[in-house]
Amino acid sequence: MKIHEYQAKQIFAEGGIPVPPGDMATTPLEALAIAQRVGKPVMVKAQVHVGGRGKAGGIKYAENAEAAKVLAQNILGMDIKGLTVKKVLVTAAEDIITESYVGIILDRTTKQPVIMVSPAGGVDIEEVAAKTPEKIFKLYVDPVLSLKSYQARNLAYKLYRDINQVRQASDIIIKLYDVFWKVDASLAEINALITNPSGEVIALDAKINIDDNGLFRQREVAAMRDPDAEEPSEVQAREADLTYIKLDGNIGCIVNGAGLAMATMDLVKRYGGEPANFLDIGGSSSPQKVVTAMSIILSDSNVEAILINIFGGITRCDDVANGILTAFRELKPSIPVVVRLTGTNEREAANILKSVNLPYADTLDNVVKKAIELAGME
Amino acid sequence: MSIFINKKTKVLVQGITGRDGSFHATQMKDYGSNVVGGVTPGKGGSKVADIPVFNTMEEAVSKTGANTSVVYVPPAFTVDAIYEAVDAGIKLVVCITEGIPANDMMKVYPYVKAKGARLIGPNCPGLISPDESKVGIMPGTIVKKGHVGVVSRSGTLTYEAIWALTQAGLGQTTCIGIGGDQVIGTNFIDCLEAFENDQATKAVVMIGEIGGSDEEIAAEYIKKNLSKPVVAFIAGQTAPPGKRMGHAGAIISGGSGTAAEKIAALNKVGVPVAGSPTEIPAVLKELMSKAGKKAAGTVKKPAAKKAAKAATKKTATKAKVKKTTAKAAAKKKPSTKKTTSKRKNK
């Protein structure tokens, strides 16, 4: 799960990491009040879950509170890469002497958290990694032993010469590591970590991604989810316990299992169509899940045909068939629906579906081809 | 022959009284697995499908002599269940449960390893050795005893591939789902190594997906260590970057972990990647017939056996065995029992 910069900064502040003063605003008047409270020039930053906010004009400098109000007016409602800005962060503008990078991610290969620091901060770190890998320093941390002070200090020395700044930075690195564990982060990043003219080290930006699997024990963090920043249909799917990701194609896919769902999408492309979505109805699917899945896909006007591909293991084909039957009764789809149900209770499923007379396919490849054909694509 | 599990495997079901636990305990037993008990705290003394239930793993292991456990408990309690299993002396823990925080798994993994145990999963369908044993949730109806080893990060996609193999007359030694999470206990190369060392396995099917770099690492491993033909399938060519595709580990992040990279890495080391799961059998058959002459060379000569005994380092052993067998190609088939059992004990 992604959270906004203002939320990540709240978590940083609670964890003792220095961040510039500021707050989130949803109206120009709120922005004005925050800027007045800050009492110095501010940055007005669009809060959307995409990179490149600055380039899109979503991050601006305001000399005073009145200017912040005007900027907030402009930025709120702005469209950045298809997302409407509904919140801005109004935060004290800092004079920057140096810009560094500090980030922690889970390294899948070593199964350990890796801390990365770079004196080349403030820019896209992946670009730094690609062009000047020698400017990135990594430390793999033993998750059982945890981060040691000397390790953090060694990393801090890669960024600063001045002992005061080294001390501040190593303190920040230790606190960031604690935050990473505390909130079940899959990524915790400060880009840029700056020094100002008075020699203070401050987290100018904050980014935290949360491991979805940790949300069950992270109530406060889970409450930070911003449905406005997500595709409405994906929110609806999640509430129904479905995994759905919207794409731009014409063939709607309802599949059980994530791997099979991906493979089905790939075959749609291979046989000349474009997948409209990823949708995994999961194991032991209740008929109701199928109904919700159908209604979500039918609400996408790009979809010209739907394919349902089920390989029954735990999932029983008759459950899915009952769901399809209900979906037809309730939703009356006007586009073709092609079905392939194989595995557990497939015969019962075929009987159930007799009454709706759906195009049936016997194999994975055939259900895909049939759907494309009926969508008028081939 | 098979890897990790066989007829002798004695299985305990952790969370046996739950909905999934009781259903699959019954299914495993019906398949013929030796399910010797289950554990649910507070339900000790009861029975599920005639399987005795114990309160603790310690008690269950001491009373049944089980060496394997399968975990169906809810995510909030799973990590504890894994620790409990290895502390009770279980050597193979198969974790079916989905939704375990990755940060917990980072701590579990080194612990299990230090105890000399193996963890498969989490978030996996488990494994099945046809006609021998099934530990997990794979449907027993789709497998058939034979000579192909199957390893996969997925569930139903694996069933699709297995079913295609079975229909094409290609039976399996062991089919294993290693799980779709970011941090998993057993990865591709662990399974590839086991399949290489398993005499009955003549070829391997490897099913990967987007996210991480396990497939690339596996490709390197195959190049260096595998004498048996390998066919792959990679899911997620049409997956958009930055989105978690159902599995926690199936995500293209920072532009890496794409299907294209993985396919390229596999092709580079001579591993063909099937265009559809249903085409795996055809690709495999072609590869096996090509490797027909080479396959005769995989039989180990006594001389190679001696070399294997003498050498202490595994990698060195393998290199030697390979060289000798290449020379000894098309010679008479010697008994290989000793070598095999020795390797299994490692």
Side-chain angles (χ1 to χ4, degrees):
Chain A
M1 184 183 95
K2 287 177 180 171
I3 59 173
H4 289 299
E5 177 191 353
Y6 80 91
Q7 295 166 321
K9 278 185 172 161
Q10 278 169 16
I11 294 174
F12 277 13
E14 282 165 26
I17 297 170
V19 294
D23 210 342
M24 184 271 287
T26 56
T27 66
L29 277 178
E30 281 174 17
L32 175 77
I34 297 163
Q36 281 168 342
R37 229 167 31 234
V38 170
K40 57 186 258 191
V42 293
M43 302 299 295
V44 181
K45 304 173 91 175
Q47 300 295 289
V48 281
H49 292 317
V50 288
R53 290 175 298 168
K55 275 182 199 159
I59 300 178
K60 293 271 162 97
Y61 170 81
E63 194 67 52
N64 53 46
E66 272 306 317
K69 185 186 159 195
V70 175
L71 284 176
Q73 181 103 48
N74 295 342
I75 294 173
L76 288 164
M78 183 186 267
D79 182 281
I80 299 179
K81 296 182 183 170
L83 291 170
T84 308
V85 181
K86 296 197 170 168
K87 299 182 175 86
V88 290
L89 171 64
V90 181
T91 178
E94 297 286 339
D95 290 323
I96 299 169
I97 304 295
T98 64
E99 290 184 283
S100 306
Y101 171 93
V102 178
I104 306 175
I105 55 164
L106 188 169
D107 180 67
R108 293 167 65 152
T109 307
T110 58
K111 305 176 211 293
Q112 292 181 327
V114 54
I115 306 179
M116 291 182 286
V117 303
S118 174
V123 291
D124 185 357
I125 198 65
E126 274 139 21
E127 220 174 286
V128 178
K131 287 185 184 157
T132 48
E134 71 280 3
K135 285 187 182 163
I136 294 184
F137 302 91
K138 290 183 183 179
L139 173 78
Y140 295 86
V141 184
D142 183 319
V144 180
L145 294 177
S146 190
L147 180 66
K148 304 297 166 206
S149 298
Y150 85 88
Q151 294 175 315
R153 204 160 50 239
N154 284 359
L155 287 171
Y157 266 114
K158 305 289 185 196
L159 305 178
Y160 308 113
R161 291 280 104 208
D162 174 68
I163 184 63
N164 280 322
Q165 290 180 345
V166 167
R167 285 195 183 118
Q168 290 178 62
S170 64
D171 186 53
I172 289 171
I173 291 167
I174 288 168
K175 284 171 173 163
L176 186 68
Y177 186 81
D178 290 343
V179 162
F180 180 86
W181 285 93
K182 189 175 159 242
V183 301
D184 272 308
S186 53
L187 173 147
E189 190 178 79
I190 306 172
N191 191 18
L193 182 72
I194 62 144
T195 54
N196 66 14
S198 29
E200 293 167 314
V201 182
I202 300 168
L204 199 61
D205 199 352
K207 187 176 176 186
I208 299 178
N209 290 348
I210 309 291
D211 174 10
D212 289 13
N213 288 355
L215 288 175
F216 73 87
R217 60 183 180 194
Q218 297 286 348
R219 294 247 171 101
E220 271 179 45
V221 181
M224 288 181 169
R225 191 189 286 279
D226 179 4
D228 284 346
E230 294 174 62
E231 182 71 39
S233 51
E234 291 179 14
V235 177
Q236 191 195 346
R238 190 175 53 244
E239 279 161 6
D241 210 12
L242 299 165
T243 315
Y244 168 81
I245 292 162
K246 193 182 177 307
L247 301 169
D248 300 326
N250 62 331
I251 308 291
C253 307
I254 298 176
V255 188
N256 69 323
L260 187 56
M262 278 190 273
T264 307
M265 287 162 55
D266 294 350
L267 286 180
V268 168
K269 177 101 180 169
R270 186 177 190 226
Y271 294 125
E274 286 290 341
N277 66 280
F278 167 95
L279 196 154
D280 173 14
I281 58 166
S284 51
S285 300
S286 69
Q288 187 52 43
K289 273 192 179 177
V290 183
V291 179
T292 313
M294 283 269 263
S295 89
I296 288 169
I297 293 181
L298 284 169
S299 68
D300 177 353
S301 59
N302 292 333
V303 176
E304 294 171 355
I306 297 178
L307 72 83
I308 301 176
N309 180 30
I310 303 296
F311 200 108
I314 327 175
T315 306
R316 287 165 41 182
C317 292
D318 53 335
D319 278 348
V320 177
N322 278 322
I324 296 171
L325 214 59
T326 315
F328 265 79
R329 218 170 30 234
E330 287 177 8
L331 307 167
K332 300 188 172 56
S334 57
I335 53 170
V337 178
V338 191
V339 176
R340 181 244 183 171
L341 299 168
T342 196
T344 313
N345 294 359
E346 61 176 74
R347 236 173 270 161
E348 289 87 337
N351 276 332
I352 291 165
L353 289 179
K354 259 180 193 158
S355 62
V356 277
N357 195 28
L358 288 177
Y360 222 82
D362 52 347
T363 68
L364 167 62
D365 298 76
N366 286 344
V367 72
V368 171
K369 285 179 189 165
K370 190 87 188 162
I372 294 168
E373 184 191 314
L374 291 178
M377 279 284 302
E378 212 163 62
Chain B
M1 287 295 294
S2 55
I3 67 166
F4 303 146
I5 57 167
N6 54 36
K7 276 200 177 109
K8 288 179 190 153
T9 301
K10 288 170 118 180
V11 188
L12 287 175
V13 179
Q14 295 182 260
I16 191 167
T17 55
R19 194 187 57 130
D20 292 338
S22 59
F23 177 76
H24 289 291
T26 313
Q27 294 267 308
M28 283 188 277
K29 198 180 163 202
D30 289 350
Y31 187 76
S33 302
N34 190 9
V35 182
V36 294
V39 169
T40 299
K43 300 274 173 73
S46 62
K47 282 193 170 179
V48 170
D50 255 359
I51 303 162
V53 180
F54 301 92
N55 285 319
T56 67
M57 281 299 284
E58 193 183 11
E59 186 193 358
V61 170
S62 75
K63 293 213 170 129
T64 64
N67 54 5
T68 297
S69 85
V70 54
V71 182
Y72 293 102
V73 305
F77 312 106
T78 307
V79 167
D80 192 57
I82 298 171
Y83 285 125
E84 187 184 0
V86 294
D87 281 346
I90 291 290
K91 290 298 169 202
L92 177 68
V93 182
V94 180
C95 181
I96 309 301
T97 306
E98 175 178 2
I100 303 168
N103 285 358
D104 284 352
M105 287 311 301
M106 282 199 280
K107 291 183 177 172
V108 168
Y109 178 77
Y111 190 80
V112 172
K113 215 176 160 188
K115 288 273 174 177
R118 172 179 296 288
L119 172 68
I120 295 176
N123 189 14
C124 80
L127 65 170
I128 186 166
S129 298
D131 297 349
E132 300 259 338
S133 182
K134 149 175 154 158
V135 180
I137 63 173
M138 287 201 191
T141 48
I142 58 170
V143 297
K144 181 188 165 204
K145 198 175 182 70
H147 298 286
V148 182
V150 180
V151 56
S152 170
R153 277 169 68 187
S154 177
T156 49
L157 175 58
T158 318
Y159 309 164
E160 193 82 62
I162 295 169
W163 183 229
L165 288 168
T166 297
Q167 282 180 310
L170 293 164
Q172 306 90 36
T173 46
T174 300
C175 305
I176 171 167
I178 56 175
D181 276 359
Q182 296 199 74
V183 180
I184 51 173
T186 296
N187 57 22
F188 280 129
I189 58 175
D190 297 321
C191 299
L192 290 167
E193 183 185 23
F195 280 133
E196 175 69 15
N197 291 339
D198 176 42
Q199 289 294 312
T201 302
K202 304 286 182 216
V204 180
V205 171
M206 177 179 128
I207 298 165
E209 63 188 29
I210 55 161
S213 52
D214 273 8
E215 290 80 1
E216 287 89 333
I217 295 167
E220 275 307 303
Y221 184 86
I222 291 167
K223 186 182 163 192
K224 289 190 186 123
N225 301 292
L226 250 74
S227 64
K228 301 174 184 180
V230 182
V231 171
F233 178 79
I234 304 291
Q237 296 182 56
T238 48
K243 292 273 190 179
R244 168 176 146 154
M245 305 299 280
H247 293 154
I251 181 164
I252 299 167
S253 48
S256 80
T258 64
E261 285 170 351
K262 292 170 189 300
I263 292 170
L266 288 160
N267 283 335
K268 203 178 146 198
V269 299
V271 174
V273 180
S276 161
T278 49
E279 288 170 11
I280 291 171
V283 179
L284 189 59
K285 277 182 176 169
E286 198 192 323
L287 198 64
M288 284 172 92
S289 73
K290 263 192 207 164
K293 275 181 192 169
K294 252 172 78 185
T298 58
V299 175
K300 287 171 185 76
K301 258 210 89 187
K305 247 165 55 183
K306 268 181 204 162
K309 271 185 189 169
T312 44
K313 277 196 177 173
K314 242 182 192 173
T315 44
T317 308
K318 245 172 213 159
K320 271 193 182 171
V321 170
K322 260 192 171 175
K323 263 188 193 167
T324 326
T325 48
K327 275 184 206 161
K331 291 241 169 130
K332 214 173 82 186
K333 183 180 178 175
S335 160
T336 49
K337 257 186 185 167
K338 229 177 178 179
T339 319
T340 319
S341 58
K342 199 185 163 227
R343 284 205 171 164
K344 261 184 73 188
N345 289 339
K346 270 187 186 170

